[in-house]
Amino acid sequence: MNEHIVYLALGSNLDNRLANLKQAVSALSPQMEVKAKSDVYETLPWGYEDQPKFLNQVIKAKTYLAPEPLVKHIKRLEITLGRKVSFQNGPRLIDIDILFYDDLVLNTSSLVIPHPRLHERGFVLMPLMDIDPDLVHPVNKKSVREMIALSDTQGIEKFGS
C-alpha cells in the first residue's frame, strides 16, 4: 500500500468555528494520519465579503488514498460534519481543500492538484508557513516562503493571540 503526503486547508466561519476545525481534524482518520497542524488563523472572508470571519488551518497528513478517492472521502466528511450546499465562496460550517498531494500535478474535470489558487491566498499560505515554509509548488517552482512574500496577508491574525 503506497503512502502519500497531503496538505489540506481547513476553513470554517459558521457556529463554533474552532470546534468545527477540531472535529474535522479528528474525522480525518483512519484514512489519513495527521503529521502536523498549523496554528489557527482568523481571516477576512475572500471572494464574497458579506459574511463572518473565517478560521483557517492547514494540516499535513499521510494517506493511502489515491487523489480521486481522497477528494470523495473529504466531500463525504464535509457533509457528515454538517456542511450544507451554498454558493461559491459563501459561508460554510467546514471546508476542506487538497492543497498538495506529494508533488503531483493533476488537472481533471473533478480535481485540480495543486489547488489552483493557493499561491494567491494568504489565508492558506500563512498556516502553510507554520508547517513547511520550504515546500516547493510543483508548478510555479516557488517555495511557500516565496509565495507568501507575493501574497496579501492583510487582516490575517493568529487566532487567540
Side-chain angles (χ1 to χ4, degrees):
M1 179 171 7
N2 290 337
E3 292 194 330
H4 306 278
I5 297 296
V6 296
Y7 291 82
L8 305 176
L10 283 65
S12 174
N13 76 334
L14 296 175
D15 298 340
N16 186 333
R17 303 170 300 164
L18 189 58
N20 295 341
L21 293 181
K22 288 180 178 178
Q23 191 176 11
V25 172
S26 296
L28 294 175
S29 61
Q31 292 85 348
M32 287 175 263
E33 179 187 346
V34 175
K35 300 309 248 174
K37 293 187 286 190
S38 74
D39 288 330
V40 174
Y41 291 82
E42 188 169 50
T43 64
L44 298 171
W46 191 91
Y48 175 71
E49 296 176 4
D50 187 21
Q51 60 181 319
K53 289 182 179 181
F54 277 83
L55 289 187
N56 293 98
Q57 185 174 36
V58 170
I59 303 298
K60 177 181 181 180
K62 191 164 53 170
T63 186
Y64 59 85
L65 293 173
E68 293 289 344
L70 178 62
V71 78
K72 287 177 183 165
H73 171 64
I74 287 170
K75 295 308 164 198
R76 276 193 305 267
L77 268 182
E78 289 177 335
I79 291 166
T80 301
L81 293 168
R83 180 166 180 172
K84 303 281 187 259
V85 176
S86 183
F87 52 92
Q88 187 172 2
N89 300 320
R92 45 207 175 270
L93 200 67
I94 192 68
D95 184 37
I96 305 172
D97 290 326
I98 301 170
L99 301 175
F100 295 105
Y101 183 102
D102 294 332
D103 59 357
L104 178 69
V105 176
L106 179 71
N107 193 342
T108 68
S109 59
S110 60
L111 184 58
V112 179
I113 299 174
H115 190 284
R117 292 171 301 285
L118 78 88
H119 64 280
E120 61 191 38
R121 293 183 169 177
F123 65 86
V124 169
L125 293 169
M126 280 188 71
L128 198 48
M129 275 287 291
D130 290 347
I131 296 175
D132 201 343
D134 298 317
L135 179 67
V136 174
H137 192 294
V139 176
N140 70 21
K141 306 300 184 201
K142 289 182 175 20
S143 69
V144 172
R145 189 183 319 276
E146 291 170 309
M147 289 185 287
I148 201 166
L150 302 171
S151 73
D152 181 8
T153 58
Q154 193 170 2
I156 302 171
E157 298 177 3
K158 279 192 181 175
F159 186 66
S161 58

